Amino acid sequence: MSDLPNFPPEAFAKQDRTPDGLFYAQARFVTHIDDAAIDAVTDLYRTLLPPGGRILDLMSSWVSHLPAEVAYGGVIGHGLNAEELTANARLTQHFVQDLNADPILPFDDASIDAALICVGVQYLQDPVAVLREVARVLVPGAPVVITFSNRCFPTKAVAIWRAIGGDDHARLIALYLQHAAFSAIEARVLLPEGGPTDPMRAVIGRTSTPKADV
């Protein structure tokens, strides 16, 4: 990949190389992390997402794990299954797009107040291209919140994700964000490995805030 020159193309290959749209054509009304992990993600969103803001939920599904008591100006959902997105009561609008085939997001520059990717980053084959688009559409200083666990559809996860785990997953996402021009990157352990629940981690990136004129 030209955006990550130290990685061979095979690092972002998938076992199942059929178009992702075929895999996700059937709706799956399940959650991919347990209740404790969902609560941890919701708590994180509660602290990071601006009330009244315009939220972009990338690689979403029929639930978004947003705090029920917080009102947002809009929640835009993206995914590969229209039936799942239509069933998501938190979304004010949604769109279907294969980011591995087309990473360009249909939004103006600096038009989004926060972006989310929950348990989906492992499926991106050109993650830097997607995250550069996220950086473009975010308001300066706004966060992208990437959360992940140890679960995935293994045939659709990229090879490098399957080959590593834990701290290395967080480092890999941080590398994506660095190459996508995010200026502030923070990793958090929300629920540790080896506990009674699904482990949960987050990597948060923020775009640069313009300097004030002197």
Side-chain angles (χ1 to χ4, degrees), residues 1 25 51 62-63 79 88 90 116 137 153 157 179 182 185 192 197:
M1 292 178 58
W62 65 288
V63 289
N88 188 331
R90 289 308 299 268
L116 319 173
V137 303
F153 296 120
H179 281 263
F182 282 85
I185 301 166
T197 69

Side-chain angles (χ1 to χ4, degrees), residues 134-170:
V134 172
R136 177 185 67 79
V137 303
L138 282 174
V139 170
V144 58
V145 184
I146 302 173
T147 48
F148 63 95
S149 186
N150 59 357
R151 295 195 193 187
C152 67
F153 296 120
T155 62
K156 281 298 183 181
V158 296
I160 184 64
W161 189 271
R162 299 194 311 271
I164 62 177
D167 290 340
D168 287 334
H169 280 155

Side-chain angles (χ1 to χ4, degrees), residues 49-78:
L49 307 187
R54 194 171 186 225
I55 310 302
L56 175 60
D57 187 9
L58 289 171
M59 308 181 81
S60 187
S61 181
W62 65 288
V63 289
S64 289
H65 310 318
L66 295 166
E69 77 281 3
V70 181
Y72 300 101
V75 181
I76 306 163
H78 153 269

Side-chain angles (χ1 to χ4, degrees), residues 1-9 11-12 124-129 131-132 160 171-180:
M1 292 178 58
S2 59
D3 290 327
L4 291 169
N6 293 327
F7 290 80
F12 294 91
L124 292 175
Q125 291 183 277
D126 196 349
V128 174
L131 290 170
R132 280 180 177 157
I160 184 64
R171 294 187 186 101
L172 181 64
I173 295 169
L175 186 65
Y176 296 165
L177 290 168
Q178 289 167 11
H179 281 263

Side-chain angles (χ1 to χ4, degrees), residues 45-118:
Y45 289 168
R46 188 175 284 114
T47 65
L48 292 177
L49 307 187
R54 194 171 186 225
I55 310 302
L56 175 60
D57 187 9
L58 289 171
M59 308 181 81
S60 187
S61 181
W62 65 288
V63 289
S64 289
H65 310 318
L66 295 166
E69 77 281 3
V70 181
Y72 300 101
V75 181
I76 306 163
H78 153 269
L80 280 174
N81 187 280
E83 186 179 356
E84 291 179 6
L85 296 171
T86 300
N88 188 331
R90 289 308 299 268
L91 302 182
T92 55
Q93 65 185 93
H94 67 262
F95 66 104
V96 173
Q97 180 176 324
D98 183 353
L99 295 177
N100 287 326
D102 177 13
I104 304 302
L105 296 174
F107 305 106
D108 293 335
D109 295 358
S111 61
I112 301 294
D113 296 301
L116 319 173
I117 302 177
C118 182

